[in-house]
Amino acid sequence: MTTFPPPDFSAPAFADCPDARFAPAPADGVLPEGFFSTTNLPTFVRLNGRWIPPREPRMDSGLVLDSAGELWVREGRRIKRGDMVAVGDREDGTQGIFVQTHMVPHGADPDAFTFMSSEVSREKPIDYAHMARLLIEEKERGGYPIWVTGPALVHSRARSDMSWFIANGYVGALLAGNAVAVHDIEASIYGTTLGMTNTGEITQGGHGLHMRAINQVRAAGSIAKAVEQGIITDGIMFECVKHKIPFVLTGSIRDDGPLPDVITDALEAQDAMRRHAIKATMAILIATALHAIATGNMLPAFVALPDGQMRELPTICVDSSEFVVSKLKDRGTHQAFGVVTNAQDFMHILRLYVERELESRGASPVTRSAAAAR
Amino acid sequence: MTTFPPPDFSAPAFADCPDARFAPAPADGVLPEGFFSTTNLPTFVRLNGRWIPPREPRMDSGLVLDSAGELWVREGRRIKRGDMVAVGDREDGTQGIFVQTHMVPHGADPDAFTFMSSEVSREKPIDYAHMARLLIEEKERGGYPIWVTGPALVHSRARSDMSWFIANGYVGALLAGNAVAVHDIEASIYGTTLGMTNTGEITQGGHGLHMRAINQVRAAGSIAKAVEQGIITDGIMFECVKHKIPFVLTGSIRDDGPLPDVITDALEAQDAMRRHAIKATMAILIATALHAIATGNMLPAFVALPDGQMRELPTICVDSSEFVVSKLKDRGTHQAFGVVTNAQDFMHILRLYVERELESRGASPVTRSAAAAR
Amino acid sequence: MTTFPPPDFSAPAFADCPDARFAPAPADGVLPEGFFSTTNLPTFVRLNGRWIPPREPRMDSGLVLDSAGELWVREGRRIKRGDMVAVGDREDGTQGIFVQTHMVPHGADPDAFTFMSSEVSREKPIDYAHMARLLIEEKERGGYPIWVTGPALVHSRARSDMSWFIANGYVGALLAGNAVAVHDIEASIYGTTLGMTNTGEITQGGHGLHMRAINQVRAAGSIAKAVEQGIITDGIMFECVKHKIPFVLTGSIRDDGPLPDVITDALEAQDAMRRHAIKATMAILIATALHAIATGNMLPAFVALPDGQMRELPTICVDSSEFVVSKLKDRGTHQAFGVVTNAQDFMHILRLYVERELESRGASPVTRSAAAAR
Amino acid sequence: MTTFPPPDFSAPAFADCPDARFAPAPADGVLPEGFFSTTNLPTFVRLNGRWIPPREPRMDSGLVLDSAGELWVREGRRIKRGDMVAVGDREDGTQGIFVQTHMVPHGADPDAFTFMSSEVSREKPIDYAHMARLLIEEKERGGYPIWVTGPALVHSRARSDMSWFIANGYVGALLAGNAVAVHDIEASIYGTTLGMTNTGEITQGGHGLHMRAINQVRAAGSIAKAVEQGIITDGIMFECVKHKIPFVLTGSIRDDGPLPDVITDALEAQDAMRRHAIKATMAILIATALHAIATGNMLPAFVALPDGQMRELPTICVDSSEFVVSKLKDRGTHQAFGVVTNAQDFMHILRLYVERELESRGASPVTRSAAAAR
């Protein structure tokens, strides 16, 4: 096991450091204003010109100098009125307290002890306002945002929100699998997905409904023809057809059917996806590990601008666990920004924030009527 | 390994069953209207008075009778035009097809093959409209909804939504731990939680801010006094104090500080929680395994009404994974209804639906002004 | 909100019920031997011929009759010496206590209040001995166990355990994707997977190694030829080739390369998988949602035996979260038995139990030498 | 949105860079030996002295120079025999190819494009041999490893493995909650945990068994007395009592009972835990968010050695999801090393590796007889 030495306090950097300053605790269990808050890293306090490590180190506590001149790390609640407690907020020695941050193991940030340093966490706030503005800007500048979605989006009621984004010009292309279209079309024809209603009830005989939906589209010949023939009357695929938004449905070994539009050869399917990935100026990946990582594989981390400058390609990855986002990053899509939530809720709030932002800018009539119709 | 026999087709129940009916496939890869959609369970088809199990069983396929009189389970895409395919939608033999559902192992529903039969799943739709109506009805009838929350709610911006529910009369009592109040108060004083801003940035020196927030309240003597003294000026605890909504803060071994209001003895804390659990007419448990299960332990599954009737005690459990809800049920709180999502998003959408429902009923002036102020 | 009445205690079923029996608590905080342990369901206690609901219901407590004749639900720790506490262990009224279990909402088991009733949970024990015996029996009876695996199995050191199962005759066929073979072959050629060593270190330039591995096999023409040419010298694919165990590698849109053996058309790939699914007598699905659900789609829930009897088709699904197993069941593979653990650990312990079981039966020389060589 | 410029290729660092070198593809779909494998970052290739960005950037592909002098990023499978493909493995320009890694956004490693860079992932191998050696060394040097465990460990059969570690001298102190001891004692007395047998069966009337177990220990007065009186005859608490290994059981609001040994005041409980944390030379945190974070709060990240040197305090955190480990790190315990697996399996394999390591060193008679008795 490797060991490491304490800092070399004879180094010039420490020459001008003062002794630490102490202030009395104003009451039992109350630390003085400006108290130094400890970390779990090796810590040294300058007393009479010598750097002393306090005893019983732990984080989130005070540094107490007892009457015998002994220095302790002690929780605030255990402080007594009048106890001398170190004050300061710098960890670099300039206030007489030095924290040996370079010891931090396992490649963590070497410069500071911080909380909440993980890259992806459900505990981090989601900045919907920022994402809404990005999306509106992409639309305004004629960008090409690609949406890559899994079937969880259609199981739940996010279907109508996704339809709204398509109808209102926020989708450059939709990349998905057979299941997204199957569930969406089952919902249009029968009002269910996998036989479950949109409030979560199981219907009698429902397990065959997705097969009947597929069969109707196979009989029609294509999704576009099924829209023309009035078989499909609303939803994600309907809006794509109506607004001429390109979609790529790629096949997988899980597919029932599949629908006639599905590209069943994986390499042809990659080529079809890549034709959109090359043009992408933003990517929104929702509730799909397979399609998200496939897209990440073929997506540059940047967008080249006409003037030779570059900018990051905003890549938002939404999933109910941290795992998919970490996996995407672990396969090289470092620019992915993770949003850990339920796909249905993500869609609903993102739409809400886009609508709010548009309202604050003065919404277009189209958007307003769409909002009214919801 | 246990085996089981095929059904006894000499039984009276099968006496009147007809032969299965077949129809020709209208095109290659297209099944006839009304085709029978298979399951993975033992299946028997009546042909010339005999019950025959088709070959190569699988789900989501058709039943094809070939020219040699052999019966196959075959995927729709492999059907040829003119193939004879069984039609029907009943699995009880009355259309000549019998599915042996009682074989279903491991205690699954014995009466049907269904999809989406799991109790808790992120794939199920969340009925926010229903929850919003429940909450409004509780308020109208003078119910006592208890809210039990974990700190994830405060890390994110759900803090302002929670404050709104308290301010607008939807909270009978708040049960939480030290951390909820600490993060909420850090947010009020410093604008951060654990040193992270509400858009997720880490602040310099931020790791000590929650300790400084605690110290200020300890110096003031209580949360209510810190509100009086103008130290805490907004947020969850502020609204509780302002609107005299009772709260119980229970201690744990993870606590920093703790705040002066925290009940540090676990048994006293249970007694304090139970005083509210006894009165509860609804329970909303958000982002906390510890407090949710503790509350579930002491919550009846029902509410006794004045007339001697009873009703279920609506218990909503929100978490980012299915695990906490399943765990809660596994400890006996069977009535818990699981919502698998991010706490921040849950709060935001639930509030939105409550506001929409109120608008559709004609909102009270108080609520409208609150909405305007957001 | 629906309400329900208390039981009709005038019904004949209740005619012979006795009054509840009470015994004194032997000490403060200690319940008498045989105390009745409460649930959270509506409960009625017969006192002097009348059925009374106790006050303040909750689970895991005792029923106390106070000196005023009032009946309370009270935690054991709050009992005082001499308190009269109900005794009994039946909930059907025959000991004077009736629990209204039929009220249990949301389709839970109507017959009993139980803990740990969820179908899949990481908290349940994993019966490795049982699985090991199933696998050995399959081998002995000449069964056809199909193994369906995701790449997580190869990232970690489960690779050598999987190789062992193939080499020792426990694998009828291997169904997987391009990535499983790519990582396995990268490990054979370069000792890494995705550039990571088998102790988790990242290697310099490692991000290209899987591409170089693929390129070598493409140059050789097939995996079998790469084995022949000495390019691939150990691992999963090596053992399959060496022992002539059939494998199906199906393509996906995520694939790099792909390897020459990969079936890139999803429908051809389904047909290839199904040729093995039809023969399967057991299925082991490890660390793959895509391939597990694809296999589940085409797998009957039962095995038809030569004598016309049937038995369940044992289907084990291993994943690090409950989600994949629940999803598999939600798509109709109800017979799946979930094991919530890390794939590497699963493989290692399963092999260990198979080895132990063989040792206890007197292992074959082949197996013993293989064990010695590990 | 911020933009960034391409590198300044007039800088001295680029003065000596050669043109990139190209080699012909040996066959359709096969790249030449030593091909350059692309990333998704801005990339520039030197051709005739000029640095050119290739078109259609993506990762995991080759760089192809077509006959018109145009440079493309192209997947290996799309390469034709004779296509000129860039060769090299350096990204710093010294082989005529420069990758602008400093563009990598969101604080990712600025020096390299890598896979598998996440800190905690179920896809990483678990180095049991290393952990086993650490544990044996701790025992040999008289260290003080503290074990902090949640109840999942006792639900499953890891109970006997934990007992083994205690009995064989690998545990300095055990820190846990009421539930660990309750389940362990229920298992000793009734053979169940929460009424579930160790193969996962639910027993009749089982929901009250943990209450009866608690009641017996409360009647005896303490766990040690219950051991003395022969009520508890095996398991974790039994071995602690028998081998005089100190344990701290801390109370929580979820507790049934609690057992007489439980410290119900959270602050007293923290003090009791800290007395062991101060002495700790290693920490093993298994299947508990609450106790792991509580311990992490009071644990230094390092051990001070007698000679003034320091070493990292090995901290292993085992959980079934990445979340708990990330949370622990997000609260400052950066030194935690995450193992994402099932607690039962972790315990079983760790014990196995300890036994193997001891065997390879020549095990002590005590250990060998323990192993024989299993």
Side-chain angles (χ1 to χ4, degrees), chain C residues 35 53 60-61 69 74 197 213 218 220 247 254 277 291 301 307 331 353:
Chain C
F35 67 94
D60 291 336
S61 296
R74 197 164 283 167
T197 70
R218 288 179 71 96
F247 58 86
R254 273 178 59 180
H291 291 79
D307 63 357
R331 268 114 190 119
Y353 272 80

Side-chain angles (χ1 to χ4, degrees), chain A residues 1-7 40-44 55-61 73-75 77-78 100 103-108 112-124 134 137-138 141 266-268 270-271 274 278 294 296-302 305 308-314 321-323 326-327 329-337, chain D residues 1-7 40-44 55-61 73-75 77-78 100 103-108 112-124 134 137-138 141 266-268 270-271 274 278 294 296-302 305 308-314 321-323 326-327 329-337:
Chain A
M1 197 170 288
T2 54
T3 61
F4 57 95
N40 57 3
L41 300 177
T43 298
F44 300 85
R55 299 175 66 167
E56 304 191 346
R58 62 160 291 176
M59 69 173 79
D60 291 335
S61 297
V73 176
R74 198 163 283 167
E75 295 91 341
R77 63 183 165 84
R78 293 172 59 213
Q100 198 172 3
M103 170 266 170
V104 179
H106 292 314
F113 173 88
T114 56
F115 292 129
M116 301 308 297
S117 62
S118 69
E119 288 194 26
V120 185
S121 168
R122 67 194 74 171
E123 293 189 307
K124 301 219 163 167
L134 279 178
E137 285 165 18
E138 284 293 328
R141 75 155 72 87
L267 305 183
E268 272 179 49
Q270 286 191 14
D271 292 346
R274 194 166 178 224
I278 285 168
N297 282 348
M298 50 181 76
L299 207 61
F302 62 97
L305 305 179
Q309 294 283 104
M310 289 171 280
R311 63 175 175 85
E312 186 184 323
L313 196 158
S321 81
E322 287 83 359
F323 181 59
S326 292
K327 192 163 177 172
K329 287 173 175 285
D330 272 353
R331 269 117 189 115
T333 306
H334 296 295
Q335 83 274 16
F337 176 80
Chain D
M1 197 171 290
T2 54
T3 62
F4 57 95
N40 59 2
L41 301 177
T43 298
F44 300 86
R55 299 175 65 167
E56 304 190 347
R58 61 160 290 176
M59 68 173 79
D60 291 336
S61 297
V73 176
R74 197 163 284 166
E75 295 90 341
R77 63 182 164 84
R78 293 172 58 214
Q100 199 172 3
M103 170 265 171
V104 179
H106 290 315
F113 172 87
T114 57
F115 292 128
M116 302 308 296
S117 62
S118 69
E119 288 194 26
V120 185
S121 167
R122 68 194 73 172
E123 292 190 305
K124 302 218 163 168
L134 279 179
E137 285 165 18
E138 285 292 329
R141 74 156 73 88
L267 306 183
E268 272 179 49
Q270 286 190 15
D271 292 346
R274 198 172 175 217
I278 284 167
N297 281 348
M298 49 181 78
L299 206 61
F302 62 98
L305 304 179
Q309 295 282 103
M310 289 171 280
R311 63 174 176 86
E312 185 184 323
L313 197 158
S321 81
E322 286 83 357
F323 180 58
S326 292
K327 192 164 177 171
K329 287 173 174 285
D330 273 353
R331 269 117 188 116
T333 306
H334 296 294
Q335 83 273 14
F337 176 80

Side-chain angles (χ1 to χ4, degrees), chain B residues 4-250:
Chain B
F4 56 96
D8 175 8
F9 288 111
S10 66
F14 293 105
D16 296 333
C17 291
D19 270 12
R21 212 161 53 74
F22 289 81
D28 282 6
V30 180
L31 294 151
E33 187 70 21
F35 68 94
F36 182 88
S37 187
T38 62
T39 72
N40 58 2
L41 300 177
T43 298
F44 301 85
V45 181
R46 198 170 184 275
L47 291 180
N48 305 318
R50 293 182 50 228
W51 292 91
I52 310 290
R55 299 175 65 167
E56 304 191 347
R58 61 159 290 176
M59 69 173 79
D60 291 336
S61 297
L63 292 164
V64 179
L65 185 64
D66 72 12
S67 53
E70 199 78 65
L71 198 63
W72 302 85
V73 176
R74 197 163 284 166
E75 296 90 341
R77 63 184 165 83
R78 294 171 60 211
I79 302 283
K80 295 294 168 207
R81 182 170 184 220
D83 275 356
M84 295 307 288
V85 178
V87 293
D89 56 5
R90 309 194 60 170
E91 302 177 343
D92 60 358
T94 57
Q95 295 175 335
I97 304 171
F98 183 78
V99 181
Q100 200 172 2
T101 52
H102 292 285
M103 170 266 169
V104 180
H106 291 315
D109 181 341
D111 292 327
F113 173 87
T114 57
F115 291 129
M116 302 308 296
S117 62
S118 69
E119 287 194 26
V120 186
S121 167
R122 67 193 74 170
E123 293 189 306
K124 301 219 165 167
I126 305 172
D127 196 343
Y128 283 104
H130 180 64
M131 288 187 285
R133 278 193 305 272
L134 280 179
L135 204 51
I136 291 171
E137 286 165 18
E138 284 293 328
K139 181 178 173 181
E140 286 175 348
R141 74 156 72 88
Y144 198 77
I146 60 173
W147 293 63
V148 181
T149 71
L153 195 99
V154 196
H155 268 301
S156 60
R157 280 175 306 174
R159 181 176 174 254
S160 65
D161 294 315
M162 185 70 218
S163 301
W164 183 89
F165 281 111
I166 297 167
N168 285 282
Y170 296 99
V171 178
L174 174 68
L175 312 186
N178 182 62
V180 166
V182 167
H183 296 328
D184 175 60
I185 293 170
E186 181 188 336
S188 179
I189 302 180
Y190 298 108
T192 57
T193 53
L194 285 183
M196 175 176 65
T197 70
N198 71 3
T199 54
E201 305 293 308
I202 306 296
T203 55
Q204 185 72 11
H207 71 77
L209 294 181
H210 68 297
M211 298 311 299
R212 298 188 199 291
I214 291 167
N215 201 49
Q216 291 202 38
V217 182
R218 288 178 71 94
S222 74
I223 293 173
K225 284 185 191 150
V227 169
E228 272 169 43
Q229 296 173 20
I231 294 168
I232 304 170
T233 56
D234 64 7
I236 294 170
M237 302 318 299
F238 175 84
E239 298 294 348
C240 283
V241 169
K242 184 173 158 195
H243 296 278
K244 301 198 184 342
I245 302 301
F247 58 87
V248 176
L249 301 179
T250 54

